[in-house]
Amino acid sequence: MNYTAQYCAEAIDILQQIDQRAVDRIVEVLLTIRENEGRLFFLGVGGGAGHASHAVNDFRKIAGMECYAPTDNVSELTARINDDGWESAYCNWLRGSKLRREDGIFVFSVGGGNAERKISVNLIAALEYARVVGSKIVGIVGRDGGFTAKVSDACVIVPVVNPDTVTAHTESFQALIWHLLVSHPGLRASEMKWESVTPVAVGQV
């Protein structure tokens, strides 16, 4: 089996193992946040930061939720890193945003944060602050889910089917699952563009 075939087979295996109940629990938590007029803050690092920016767009436009991500403002983020340090950057950004009990945190991370190994400590600090405030926490993570899975109200852990492709599959399925969420009938508040456009028959162009 070549690499492409193996990768696709692994993706199918992961899809069949995804905990659909965990996905539905995230839907329930997000609905509660929206009903309480709370805001949703997306946190991620690296590929997760890219996901956070994309998800902010989708959840604002399609799900009708007020959303933000600290990584969307590079000036403020780097100022906080420079002045306060990386570990507290996200936490202090949430403080500056006046995080409330009605709000929610949505994490995109491969490992979910590990204090002992000093991995994604900025996410850990932000989640610890969210717990103090009483905000809801959800996430889509890989491996064993790390700190995110331990403290979340709802969390999807992307199954590991090959230790050599944990990051690639986790980040791929994060995008798949959040698109499932925004298209979910319970959360979708606006029609998406290409679902509302009538197809043009061949020969009519």
Side-chain angles (χ1 to χ4, degrees):
M1 182 182 293
N2 66 26
Y3 182 76
T4 300
Q6 176 184 323
Y7 191 95
C8 290
E10 290 171 1
I12 292 170
D13 191 6
I14 292 170
L15 187 59
Q16 292 174 333
Q17 293 185 50
I18 288 290
D19 185 349
Q20 296 179 19
R21 292 171 298 179
V23 177
D24 290 338
R25 284 196 294 270
I26 291 181
V27 172
E28 293 171 1
V29 172
L30 296 179
L31 280 171
T32 298
I33 293 169
R34 188 171 68 183
E35 289 167 1
N36 291 334
E37 298 185 348
R39 300 164 297 168
L40 188 58
F41 296 97
F42 286 91
L43 305 181
V45 180
H51 281 343
S53 185
H54 185 161
V56 164
N57 165 70
D58 286 356
F59 277 84
R60 288 178 70 93
K61 185 175 183 295
I62 302 168
M65 299 183 71
E66 184 178 353
C67 305
Y68 304 95
T71 42
D72 278 347
N73 187 330
V74 67
S75 295
E76 179 182 356
L77 179 62
T78 53
R80 290 189 181 280
I81 293 170
N82 187 63
D83 297 346
D84 306 327
W86 173 243
E87 294 187 10
S88 64
Y90 285 12
C91 177
N92 287 341
W93 183 89
L94 290 171
R95 290 181 192 274
S97 299
K98 296 179 173 56
L99 186 70
R100 303 171 302 173
R101 184 180 184 85
E102 295 81 8
D103 297 330
I105 305 295
F106 199 134
V107 176
F108 293 122
S109 175
V110 176
N114 187 305
E116 293 180 359
R117 296 185 178 182
K118 297 182 178 180
I119 300 173
S120 298
V121 289
N122 60 327
L123 293 180
I124 294 173
L127 294 179
E128 288 177 335
Y129 176 62
R131 293 175 74 192
V132 171
V133 172
S135 303
K136 296 293 186 182
I137 299 170
V138 300
I140 306 172
V141 294
R143 293 177 66 87
D144 62 358
F147 188 76
T148 300
K150 291 178 182 178
V151 302
S152 289
D153 295 282
C155 186
V156 174
I157 300 176
V158 178
V160 175
V161 298
N162 181 348
D164 293 332
T165 50
V166 173
T167 298
H169 284 311
T170 298
E171 294 189 350
S172 296
F173 276 85
Q174 285 168 343
L176 185 149
I177 294 168
W178 103 62
H179 282 101
L180 182 162
L181 295 172
V182 295
S183 63
H184 190 286
L187 280 172
R188 188 180 67 236
S190 300
E191 193 66 64
M192 287 175 274
K193 178 67 175 180
W194 290 105
E195 283 72 14
S196 63
V197 174
T198 303
V200 177
V202 177
Q204 291 185 355
V205 179

